[in-house]
Amino acid sequence: MGIPTVTTTTTDFLDLARTSMASVGAPDMAFVVVPHPMGGIKLEDIRAKATAAFPEIMKAATQWKPGTTAVRAAKAAYPAERFTLRGTVSDVTALYYGKKWSDGLPIVPPTPERVKAMLGGTTRKPDAVLGIVPPRMGVLTVELAAAHAVMAGAKPEYLPVILASAEALLDPRHDWRSATTTTNPCAPLIVVNGPIVKELGIQYGTGALGPGPFSAPNATIGRAVNLIMDIVGGSQPPSPDKTTLGTPASFTMVLGENEKANPWSALNVQQGTKAGASTVTVFEVRSFVNFNLHEPNTAEGILHPIAKNIGPVVGLAENGFECKPDVKELLILSPEHADTIFKDGWSLERIKNYLFETSRIPMADYLIRNNNKKPGCRQDETMPTVVAAPGCFLIMVAGGEGKHSVFLETTRYLPVTKEIVK
Amino acid sequence: MNDRWCKSFLACAIFMAGLAVPALSYSKESAQEWELLNPEGVIQVKPMKVNPHPATLEGKTVVLRWNGKHNGNNFLNRVAELLAEQVKDVKIIKAWEAFPETPGSSSGAAASKDFAQKLAGLKPDMVIASQAD
């Protein structure tokens, strides 16, 4: 736009600032470094930091000159670079770990033969570009995705799910860059619908989100996607992934929907896909709240405690109080809870309306949390809703026997559904 | 006697070596030649032309841009005070007051781009941004 800028950043975010500048092709932008933190300190302290930084701000504003750092010339994305190594499997694992080409677990060495075998799982051309993965802006081809699938231990038949998941995350509506560089503990959740769930043995019942003897599809599909994010996208802690504590869900979080146990519309149909399609829907998950509800035998008995907790989680625990109507929060009902609610005559619409109305929180509580700053919407309400509309709730059914349902707070990075193409 | 001692020692040594060899072979992987793919992929970034800065802010329009995070506005408020005190005829616009309905950059890339367009409409000579966190 032709406008000179000076950006302040704190010491702890300096690396992220440099990565961000490089990723937009401006490695030499002017910035001023302030001691961390800026947020969460008293007024007099932040004013003192501004006073101390002001001479540097003036210098950057009036004396900055572009540097000579060159942006690297583009190389061909396909075929992926190969290299040779003499050593043992342990040596390969150690090399990949040392180069940050790992999530901390041993990888399966991506030899050309293994990658070629993996590419047999899709009809897509290996040189097809799926997208540019932020914040490093690595070019993700089908071949490169296959290499990560090999590293993760996936089977060739899982590759179409991995490709669809990567494309969904790369969709601009999802804002993957923000999700991978935030201080929040965001982790991609990949929900799989349709016939492919059973074809591939993707877990959707008992223990579906945990490890187990049959969890290879869930474990390796999610792992491949996270490796892509970390390696091609470069999003690793401590920078540019600034997640304060992180989450184990970042290793993998893949879940099939138990569509047979869902008496209403499947998740992907709620997202606008035709019934029966094999799809992935990607979310960024933060809070995972379990509802251990053995006693209630009515719809309201189950949904009341859920709604009463959604409000504080979304509006107070997370910065999820949302004005936009397209943000989605996810409730995973166990089959038994879904059955009770359905037999009580509740439709999906009624469930969503109930959650919307019953999850209201006192504005007074929100103001304490927000340093008396009112939200951008519903400011004059004393008991505002925490989301903009009932349609902001998505309901799915998963899990096995037992009376535990789970609410997942899923950030403002919009969920995206993509059809799986073999 | 010496001969018997030597034979006993030799037998013992051979016996011990026989015990050790399987253990050694368990701990020894075979080295081989590997051809492997580099999983990083190439980077695709278009170079951006960054504009020269003015030699002085006197008489210029400076927009202060806050990303919505706590204390960013307080930081920039102090910067505004110091600019007013020290820079002659500077015009200061606080973006969060000019566009109170605009969310911070945390609401996503598309929202940030829209916001940038709005700021450009103020015709600033300089934008000073606070990325508080």
Side-chain angles (χ1 to χ4, degrees), chain A residues 184 286-291 305-321 329-330 359-361 366 369 386-387 393 407-411:
Chain A
N184 284 280
R286 288 189 294 198
S287 288
F288 180 114
V289 187
N290 182 59
F291 289 93
I306 291 175
K308 282 297 187 186
N309 280 276
I310 282 175
V313 168
V314 173
L316 302 180
E318 301 289 3
N319 61 341
F321 187 108
E329 304 287 358
L330 182 60
S359 61
R360 290 172 182 270
I361 57 170
Y366 181 84
R369 178 232 188 269
V386 291
V387 293
F393 290 105
F407 172 70
L408 294 175
E409 197 278 337
T410 55
T411 76

Side-chain angles (χ1 to χ4, degrees), chain A residues 41 185 219 275 283 295 311 330 407:
Chain A
I41 61 176
F283 300 84
E295 287 76 21
L330 182 60
F407 172 70

Side-chain angles (χ1 to χ4, degrees), chain A residues 154-176:
Chain A
K155 293 183 181 176
E157 53 264 39
Y158 305 164
L159 185 60
V161 183
I162 294 167
L163 299 178
S165 302
E167 285 182 307
L169 288 163
L170 286 165
D171 189 297
R173 292 171 289 169
H174 187 72
D175 196 5
W176 207 9

Side-chain angles (χ1 to χ4, degrees), chain A residues 2 4 6 8 25 38 40-41 47 51 60-61 81 83-85 87 90 96 101 110 112 136-137 139 148 175 371, chain B residues 29 32-42 44-45 48 51 53-54 70-71 78 81 108-109 127-130 133:
Chain A
V6 173
T8 56
M38 289 172 79
I41 61 176
R47 286 176 60 83
T51 304
E81 183 191 328
F83 63 97
T84 55
L85 165 75
S90 299
Y96 274 62
W101 296 343
R136 180 177 166 266
M137 312 309 274
V139 180
H148 285 82
D175 196 5
N371 283 323
Chain B
E29 296 174 59
Q32 63 179 81
E33 293 294 329
W34 294 91
E35 188 185 5
L36 299 160
L37 265 69
N38 179 333
E40 285 185 340
V42 300
Q44 185 176 93
V45 173
M48 182 195 283
N51 297 283
H53 286 204
H70 180 242
N71 269 340
R78 180 59 183 145
E81 289 167 14
V127 173
I128 298 174
S130 152
D133 211 307

Side-chain angles (χ1 to χ4, degrees), chain A residues 7-13 32-43 45-47 49-50 53 57 371, chain B residues 65-67 69-76 79 129-133:
Chain A
T7 302
T8 56
T9 184
T10 66
T11 41
D12 286 25
F13 284 77
V32 170
V33 185
V34 173
H36 190 79
M38 289 172 79
I41 61 176
K42 293 195 185 324
L43 180 62
D45 294 330
I46 191 66
R47 286 176 60 83
K49 286 191 180 184
I57 290 173
N371 283 323
Chain B
R65 189 253 201 250
W66 173 35
N67 73 342
K69 294 289 180 79
H70 180 242
N71 269 340
N73 56 334
N74 294 323
F75 183 93
L76 290 171
V79 169
S130 152
Q131 304 298 87
D133 211 307

Side-chain angles (χ1 to χ4, degrees), chain A residues 182-186 237-238 241-251:
Chain A
T182 178
T183 49
N184 284 280
C186 294
D241 184 352
K242 299 300 298 177
T243 180
T244 301
L245 185 60
T247 167
S250 286
F251 280 106

Side-chain angles (χ1 to χ4, degrees), chain A residues 20-37:
Chain A
S20 298
M21 290 190 287
S23 75
V24 297
D28 296 320
M29 276 173 68
F31 62 92
V32 170
V33 185
V34 173
H36 190 79

Side-chain angles (χ1 to χ4, degrees), chain B residues 9 13 19 21-22 27 30 32-33 36 40 47-48 65 70 72 75 84 86 89 91 99 106 124:
Chain B
F9 177 79
L19 284 177
V21 162
S27 66
S30 306
Q32 63 179 81
E33 293 294 329
L36 299 160
E40 285 185 340
M48 182 195 283
R65 189 253 201 250
H70 180 242
F75 183 93
Q86 296 181 27
D89 297 329
K91 181 182 173 190
F99 305 112
S106 295

